Amino acid sequence: EVQLLESGGTLVQPGGSLRLSCAASGFTFSSHAMSWVRQAPEKGLEWVTIISARDETTHYADSVKGRFTISRDTSKNTLYLQMNSLRAEDTAVYYCAKHANWAFDFWGQGALVTVSS
Amino acid sequence: QTVVTQEASFSVSPGGTVTLTCGLSSGSVSTAYCPSWYQQTPGQSPRTLIHSTDTRSSGVPVRFSGSILGNKAALTITGAQADDESVYFCALYMGSGIWVFGGGTKLTVL
């Protein structure tokens, strides 16, 4: 059974940093691209970043480029999102998602990040 | 910047058929954009319904189907049920590793 379990969400002050983790199980983690997708309160889904399976190429939405970094540790089957220079508009539930068949084919339960003073 | 467009809301009667669409602010959606569809109920994570334009994900009922209609991707629910009341999001692959979601359509079944 595929499982994605995010952790690390919390309240952080504007300008602060935070690292989210996503523990993966039930599939060959190293064989799949992975993304982070966020959802601000009462808003839609926003794709944030992706890391490829083979060469760990990364891509970012313009809204987070230069502030967020995605990475993966295949020895731990864990995906990470390092978030720096956080802003109020980064407040959201952050989902990690597994890619397959050119889609987001499985989602975690999400981690809430609140940026506020 | 390209925007992915979806109807804000839609209503369907139980047993009825509804088609939700996913377009582009500039240009036409084709299979090259790898349209996919997701269902989300309040407080839950999204659930993947359709990938690669028209392929149902595992366990998705056959009443959900995907297609290209004109210049948009489409999700059709045939024989809507009460528990289909959800928000539906589409996603398009824009190339160069970039994905964009539509704003979502809130579907009411009544």
Side-chain angles (χ1 to χ4, degrees):
Chain A
E1 178 191 6
V2 173
Q3 290 194 1
L4 297 172
L5 186 61
E6 299 95 337
S7 61
T10 190
L11 172 65
V12 61
Q13 291 190 339
S17 296
L18 191 64
R19 189 178 81 161
L20 301 182
S21 300
C22 172
S25 61
F27 66 101
T28 305
F29 180 68
S30 59
S31 296
H32 290 267
M34 298 291 294
S35 274
W36 289 95
V37 177
R38 68 185 181 183
Q39 187 169 34
E42 305 303 318
K43 299 294 186 182
L45 301 173
E46 179 188 14
W47 173 79
V48 174
T49 178
I50 188 171
I51 185 166
S52 69
R54 295 180 182 176
D55 59 5
E56 301 193 355
T57 300
T58 59
H59 299 279
Y60 298 89
D62 287 345
S63 58
V64 305
K65 199 173 294 182
R67 300 187 299 123
F68 289 12
T69 302
I70 189 173
S71 62
R72 64 196 300 165
D73 184 336
T74 54
S75 69
K76 296 181 178 179
N77 284 354
T78 301
L79 178 73
Y80 300 102
L81 181 65
Q82 177 67 43
M83 302 184 290
N84 298 331
S85 302
L86 283 161
R87 307 165 179 168
E89 55 264 36
D90 296 318
T91 294
V93 173
Y94 285 74
Y95 297 101
C96 68
K98 165 181 169 282
H99 281 269
N101 301 311
W102 290 96
F104 306 83
D105 88 320
F106 194 84
W107 302 68
Q109 89 292 344
L112 176 62
V113 174
T114 303
V115 184
S116 175
S117 55
Chain B
Q1 181 172 333
T2 300
V3 174
V4 177
T5 61
Q6 294 186 248
E7 298 87 359
S9 62
F10 233 116
S11 182
V12 63
S13 300
T17 296
V18 62
T19 297
L20 313 181
T21 67
C22 176
L24 287 170
S25 56
S26 176
S28 299
V29 176
S30 67
T31 57
Y33 285 91
C34 305
S36 51
W37 292 89
Y38 307 87
Q39 177 191 48
Q40 188 180 36
T41 53
Q44 300 296 314
S45 303
R47 169 198 182 194
T48 306
L49 296 176
I50 300 287
H51 66 82
S52 307
T53 305
D54 58 8
T55 304
R56 275 185 301 277
S57 293
S58 177
V60 174
V62 297
R63 65 179 182 276
F64 292 93
S65 62
S67 64
I68 298 289
L69 285 181
N71 62 350
K72 297 181 179 182
L75 173 70
T76 299
I77 306 173
T78 304
Q81 300 182 1
D83 60 3
D84 294 337
E85 187 161 294
S86 304
V87 180
Y88 292 86
F89 295 95
C90 68
L92 300 179
Y93 179 63
M94 310 305 284
S96 301
I98 304 300
W99 292 83
V100 180
F101 284 92
T105 298
K106 184 175 182 179
L107 180 67
T108 301
V109 181
L110 51 74

